[in-house]
Amino acid sequence: MSKGKMRIAVLVSGGGTNLQALLDAQKAGKIPSGEIVLVLSNNPEAYALQRAANFGVKGLAWDGTVPEGLNRRQALEAWLLQHLKEEAIDVIILAGFMFILSPAFIEAYRDRIINVHPALIPSFCGEGFYGLHVHEAALGYGVKVTGATVHLVNEIPDGGRILLQKAVDILPGDTPEVLQKRVMEQAEWILLPQAAELLCRELGEQA
Ligand code: GAR
């Protein structure tokens, strides 16, 4: 693995506001131990790709091609691994990446993948809890506090070691959309860059 700054890839699927927070933090000098050099999307329509382009960061989208003998997941992961290797990536950040990675993929980057989840794990997490569904579930249950979690990725969906967590109040009249925005503003966009720096610094010290 490389010495000096950790080479970071951000994996996205949608709007990319967490990617934006990471790029802004990098510009502001808040991720001195790493550098975002690659953005990969499983969805060619993801606005996150435009955000990468605006920042002059290389962004690529999977075109959905599934070579013979592979299933969809294997094809996507092969495509991801090829580009991660080509760019000598040290650290992977899942920022709204709506896809559960296989054990083999996770093993290839053990303790080098982080994910942001829009709830206080172990609440409202695991398979099926993604995006707005997470906030619908929190409102449906009637909890008064939710938040966001950044954790290392292991084979259990949303089950890896927690790095950072921040609570956010639920207010009367909240809709899933309103709550999602508050959780992003008050927790996700702050925690994710902090966790990126934490992990890059830790790995840099080990190198
Ligand atoms: C974010 O709220 C992120 O935490 C969530 O999807 C949204 C993506 O927004 N991720 C998950 O639910 C993963 N389980 P963004 O594309 O604007 O960053």
Side-chain angles (χ1 to χ4, degrees), residues 1-2 7 83-90:
M1 296 286 172
S2 50
R7 293 174 63 77
H83 292 289
L84 294 168
K85 292 215 169 98
E86 260 172 37
E87 286 292 336
I89 294 302
D90 300 299

Side-chain angles (χ1 to χ4, degrees), residues 12-20 48 51 94-99 115-119 126 129-132 134-135 148-149 151 158 180 183-184 188-189 192:
V12 297
S13 299
T17 63
N18 279 287
L19 169 66
Q20 188 70 50
R51 296 182 191 272
L94 309 184
F97 186 61
M98 302 305 181
F99 183 88
N115 177 48
V116 60
H117 182 73
F129 287 95
Y130 59 90
L132 267 185
V134 179
H135 304 293
T149 304
H151 61 93
D158 297 322
Q180 179 181 53
V183 169
M184 284 175 159
E188 295 185 51
W189 300 342
L192 192 56

